[in-house]
Amino acid sequence: MLPIIIWILRRIKILLSIIYYLEKSTDFLKKYPELSFEKSILANRWGKYYEEKKQFSEAIAHYKEAQKLSKESQASSEYITSLNGLAQCYEKLRDFESSNFYMKTFVRVQDSINKAEKKQVSNTVDNIVQDKEKGFLQKLSRLQKILAIILFV
């Protein structure tokens, strides 16, 4: 019995700590309306907090706020987090139509981000190879000029 009580007390302490820092962060960010990226992170954390407490309607409100803010700030990771949170909450509320909509959107956005990241990495690698080839060709050209001078002098 005592281990269960200790576990419950630790859990309460953790939850109180989470609430404290979420409220502190909320108060701080109210002073800075231009920080939509940071606000999207905070809204997602509030959403997760309420989702953990099984207050799904409140969680949905925060996830939707995070979705809006992450679009404004072009924060793709936070946008994805909010879509996933919305899908999970609607599923727990047994609103499968909404859950399915957000999950499909989540997958579509995730895939497009992955493709964009792969393309960016591929372009970076291509640029590195091109730079190396250009440098090699320049060195080869200089070497050919030096050989031509040596041979014809």
Side-chain angles (χ1 to χ4, degrees):
M1 184 70 153
L2 187 60
I4 294 172
I5 293 172
I6 291 172
W7 181 84
I8 291 171
L9 291 174
R10 285 185 182 156
R11 183 81 175 142
I12 290 170
K13 183 178 178 183
I14 290 169
L15 287 174
L16 290 174
S17 175
I18 291 170
I19 293 169
Y20 173 79
Y21 286 108
L22 286 173
E23 287 175 346
K24 281 288 213 188
S25 299
T26 301
D27 291 342
F28 175 79
L29 288 175
K30 282 180 183 176
K31 301 172 190 171
Y32 302 97
E34 70 278 3
L35 299 177
S36 57
F37 171 70
E38 290 79 0
K39 288 180 178 182
S40 70
I41 295 170
L42 182 61
N44 272 327
R45 298 312 169 265
W46 274 114
K48 187 66 177 169
Y49 168 76
Y50 284 113
E51 184 180 349
E52 292 286 323
K53 289 185 68 181
K54 302 190 182 334
Q55 295 178 2
F56 301 116
S57 296
E58 191 69 29
I60 287 169
H62 285 285
Y63 283 134
K64 285 186 176 184
E65 178 69 13
Q67 185 183 23
K68 181 183 114 222
L69 292 166
S70 59
K71 274 185 180 179
E72 286 175 16
S73 63
Q74 299 177 346
S76 58
S77 63
E78 293 305 314
Y79 186 71
I80 289 171
T81 299
S82 65
L83 290 172
N84 188 41
L86 287 164
Q88 299 301 318
C89 287
Y90 279 118
E91 181 180 342
K92 290 171 185 165
L93 289 173
R94 306 190 67 71
D95 181 349
F96 297 115
E97 186 177 333
S98 296
S99 177
N100 192 34
F101 168 78
Y102 284 108
M103 188 51 70
K104 282 182 179 179
T105 306
F106 166 81
V107 170
R108 184 176 39 80
V109 171
Q110 181 72 43
D111 287 347
S112 67
I113 289 171
N114 287 341
K115 285 178 186 175
E117 287 174 353
K118 284 181 184 177
K119 185 177 180 181
Q120 187 176 18
V121 168
S122 177
N123 287 342
T124 301
V125 170
D126 289 344
N127 289 341
I128 291 170
V129 169
Q130 287 174 356
D131 288 346
K132 294 287 183 185
E133 287 176 348
K134 188 188 307 180
F136 174 76
L137 291 175
Q138 288 173 347
K139 288 179 183 177
L140 183 62
S141 176
R142 278 188 261 149
L143 183 61
Q144 287 173 338
K145 289 177 186 174
I146 292 170
L147 283 174
I149 292 171
I150 292 173
L151 291 174
F152 293 113
V153 173

